[in-house]
Amino acid sequence: MFQWPKRSSTPGETTEARPRDLNDLNGQVAVITGSTSGIGLALARAVASRGGDVVLNGLGDPSEIERTRAELETSCGVRVRYHAADMRRGEEVADLVAYAAHELGRLDILVNNAGVQHVEAVEKFPSEKWEQILAINLSSAFYAIRAAVPIMKAQTRGRIVNVASAHGLVASPFKSAYVAAKHGVIGLTKTVALEVARDGITCNAICPGFVETPIVEKQIADQARTRGLSREQVLNDVILGSQPTKRFVTTDELAGLFLYLVSDLGASANGASFSIDGGWTAQ
């Protein structure tokens, strides 16, 4: 429901009631894992552009990460911090959440976005890759949510967004660990949503199709090797072959849906998985 703020008038001016901007994130704090590049960085920029403070997390060259952090802070006029938590380690994930609340005073938005991929036939799939993918793509979301929920309950408000994938809803060959992890993220999303439904907290999943990011670029090379195809064949027939639009989903399109979910407009969206895949999962 719109809340109409009082506005004092000055001589010669008519008093007008203006609706509160339900997309405004001013004063809110977001933790976004895997946010030094790709989808995560795009979502961090979206939060900052709406006035929210952000804690970045992810891999990369330290000097480049600092440049990104400083640029985002300066251009948007918000507080931006960085925490180098290793998503394979639950205690570091929990420390990331605690750091945000301590350093910036609260925690309103948690985005579990960190992810890795490996493409290989199941009988050849390295066990260490299976463990790595499950830890980063699924278990890190559990540890972050477990740490964030008590903070959000105390505030009587919170938004949790898990970046799943079209592969959380359907499968593709040679991606056993990734598909298993993303299906797990969907299940985790539903369970958490039910548990926090009366606490002013929502938990939803975004399920993108293929987005042009570094992880997808690596997949193209891996798929070419695994399937014995050229890069162009993989791009047209395998990667974009699943998406009826025959184009990549853009990070701006993801950010638009994301901002709805974390704003007051998205208060009744809970436990849902939002496909943004050009029609892939409609087939």
Side-chain angles (χ1 to χ4, degrees):
M1 179 180 295
F2 283 100
Q3 296 181 16
W4 301 93
K6 295 180 180 178
R7 178 172 176 264
S8 60
S9 61
T10 56
E13 181 184 17
T14 303
T15 301
E16 297 178 356
R18 294 182 178 178
R20 179 171 61 89
D21 183 357
L22 297 182
N23 276 318
D24 183 23
L25 301 180
N26 186 53
Q28 296 191 34
V29 174
V31 167
I32 305 175
T33 68
S35 52
T36 52
S37 66
I39 292 172
L41 181 56
L43 300 185
R45 291 190 185 282
V47 170
S49 72
R50 293 287 183 172
D53 300 324
V54 181
V55 178
L56 300 173
N57 159 265
L59 303 175
D61 177 76
S63 61
E64 182 60 32
I65 291 172
E66 173 54 24
R67 280 194 293 272
T68 299
R69 186 206 66 77
E71 181 275 327
L72 192 58
E73 187 171 71
T74 301
S75 64
C76 296
V78 298
R79 297 176 295 174
V80 181
R81 302 290 186 267
Y82 171 74
H83 191 290
D86 184 337
M87 293 294 105
R88 297 171 298 179
R89 303 183 183 279
E91 67 275 12
E92 293 190 25
V93 176
D95 188 67
L96 164 63
V97 172
Y99 168 83
H102 179 267
E103 179 74 12
L104 300 177
R106 56 187 297 114
L107 176 61
D108 302 275
I109 300 165
L110 170 65
V111 184
N112 292 303
N113 169 72
V116 293
Q117 175 66 285
H118 184 76
V119 178
E120 187 58 89
V122 67
E123 71 272 20
K124 299 177 182 178
F125 210 97
S127 58
E128 65 273 14
K129 286 295 184 181
W130 172 274
E131 298 296 340
Q132 178 196 42
I133 291 170
L134 268 289
I136 295 173
N137 294 24
L138 176 58
S139 294
S140 70
F142 160 73
Y143 287 114
I145 291 169
R146 186 174 71 166
V149 163
I151 300 169
M152 292 178 172
K153 282 185 175 181
Q155 297 170 174
T156 67
R157 187 190 186 282
R159 297 286 186 267
I160 300 168
V161 176
N162 298 319
V163 179
S165 167
H167 281 125
L169 303 170
V170 296
S172 292
F174 310 117
K175 298 182 179 181
S176 55
Y178 189 85
V179 171
K182 292 302 187 180
H183 272 67
V185 167
I186 299 298
L188 176 64
T189 298
K190 293 178 179 179
T191 300
V192 172
L194 295 177
E195 292 184 16
V196 300
R198 295 190 178 184
D199 296 302
I201 305 169
T202 64
C203 183
N204 293 287
I206 295 175
C207 300
F210 283 105
V211 183
E212 198 166 12
T213 62
I215 193 173
V216 170
E217 279 299 318
K218 184 178 183 304
Q219 279 188 64
I220 294 172
D222 288 345
Q223 289 276 14
R225 171 184 52 80
T226 303
R227 296 172 181 261
L229 300 174
S230 70
R231 184 185 187 282
E232 290 70 26
Q233 287 174 312
V234 170
L235 183 61
N236 294 324
D237 301 336
V238 179
I239 301 296
L240 296 180
S242 302
Q243 296 185 184
T245 54
K246 300 303 179 185
R247 68 171 180 84
F248 285 108
V249 178
T250 71
T251 53
D252 284 346
E253 290 163 350
L254 292 180
L257 174 59
F258 166 74
L259 286 172
Y260 162 75
L261 292 176
V262 300
S263 74
D264 286 348
L265 289 170
S268 289
N270 194 33
S273 300
F274 291 87
S275 295
I276 181 164
D277 59 16
W280 177 351
T281 53
Q283 301 176 96

